[in-house]
Amino acid sequence: MALQVAGTASMGYFYFDFRDLNKQNLRNLLPSLLIQLSARSIPRCDILSRLYLAHDFGAQKPSDVVLTESLKETLSLSGQDPSYIIIDALDECPNTSGMPSPREEVLEFVSHLVGLDLPNLRICVTSRPEIDIRSTLELLSPTPYRFITSGQKKDIVDYVSSVVHSDKRIRRWREEDKVLVIEKLSEKADGMEINKANRGHAHRLLQCLTVAVRPLRVEELAEVLAVDFNMGGIPKLNSDWRWQDQEEAVLSACSSLVGIVGEGGSRVVQFSHFSVKEFLTSKRLSRSSEDVSWYQIHLEDAHAIIAQACLGVLLELDDEIKIDRE
């Protein structure tokens, strides 16, 4: 990546790309930022030279700790122009493997940089509002942050519209078909599918949400995650599986497909848009790719899941259940 300069400021940019294994972790981020920020600064290049010599002229790979310290030294040099670090699409950094996960390592790194309180450093992180990312950024208060998604989606909609109306072949389509293409592609502009590690839990939550006869409170839906459906017979409640943060449990499983809102003094879970439920229960979903069609919801199966979950919880209650027969 080439260094970009805006006026007298330097900028290091890194894009986390879910399609590229070389752009998915802290190990890839650190050397990229170091090289970009040092490209046009002799004092910063000297830091890189010392790092190169200290590791047998590049024969050895420096650790992440060493790279982080070198970057801190680079950013802390006096007399340097302002530096801008842009970390793009952090939500595409994996959050499913390792202790800590690649995303947790990057979030810790960002928190560390912010904690340095360097007067000439500006950091911009772009991401969908995933629960773990949002929680970390909230802890950086009073550092201002906000998620901006509408502008990005508008750009995508504008681009799709321009292609639909300018392509020679598509221009011959019926107007309603053009509108359908624009709508469906725009619906997918908000992010990526649920990762496979969460899809079993996510599918059960979405099933319960689909067939519930009333809005489900967060604590009610999160309880489904503590039910063991693999026991054979009636599922059993495993209290050790309960999450301390129930909102995080639901949102981390279902990603951007659901939202949590206040209703009548309670926090209830709902689909992020009415079209989500329609799509999950539609027959056309079965004709999609295997990764997507796996989430299709059959109403009969969904009713069975929510009934089994309720029975599993009720049978574990210690208190006597009184039935009002009047």
Side-chain angles (χ1 to χ4, degrees), residues 137-265:
L137 294 183
E138 286 173 350
L139 293 176
L140 302 182
S141 182
T143 301
Y145 81 95
R146 61 176 176 159
F147 290 99
I148 304 175
T149 58
S150 57
Q152 180 193 46
K153 183 166 184 176
K154 183 179 183 302
D155 289 342
I156 295 174
V157 172
D158 290 344
Y159 173 75
V160 172
S161 299
S162 68
V163 171
V164 167
H165 291 105
S166 62
D167 186 274
K168 293 181 179 179
R169 292 170 297 178
I170 299 179
R171 278 189 303 184
R172 296 196 294 266
W173 291 5
R174 295 179 303 172
E175 194 60 34
E176 55 265 36
D177 291 335
K178 296 177 186 177
V179 172
L180 180 63
V181 168
I182 295 172
E183 287 180 350
K184 292 306 177 183
L185 290 179
S186 300
E187 284 176 10
K188 295 179 178 295
D190 282 332
M192 300 158 56
E193 297 295 333
I194 299 167
N195 63 67
K196 290 184 179 180
N198 283 341
R199 72 180 190 176
H201 288 156
H203 194 221
R204 289 195 188 105
L205 295 186
L206 294 172
Q207 285 176 308
C208 294
L209 202 58
T210 296
V211 298
V213 295
R214 62 164 175 79
L216 294 176
R217 298 192 300 274
V218 172
E219 57 270 26
E220 291 175 323
L221 192 57
E223 192 79 338
V224 177
L225 298 175
V227 176
D228 187 352
F229 289 85
N230 299 317
M231 295 290 294
I234 297 176
K236 292 180 64 68
L237 178 70
N238 188 334
S239 58
D240 292 336
W241 291 4
R242 285 180 172 139
W243 286 57
Q244 184 173 0
D245 189 328
Q246 294 167 323
E247 289 197 11
E248 181 180 357
V250 171
L251 293 177
S252 62
C254 295
S255 188
S256 57
L257 295 180
V258 302
I260 297 175
V261 298
E263 183 177 293

Side-chain angles (χ1 to χ4, degrees), residues 25-40:
N25 54 52
L26 183 64
R27 184 70 184 176
N28 308 134
L29 171 67
L30 291 172
S32 177
L33 294 180
L34 269 171
I35 292 171
Q36 292 180 75
L37 294 171
S38 302
R40 297 187 182 181

Side-chain angles (χ1 to χ4, degrees), residues 4-11 40 44 79-84 120:
Q4 301 182 37
V5 178
T8 58
S10 60
M11 184 179 82
R40 297 187 182 181
R44 288 177 171 179
Q80 297 294 304
D81 294 327
S83 298
Y84 291 82
N120 285 334

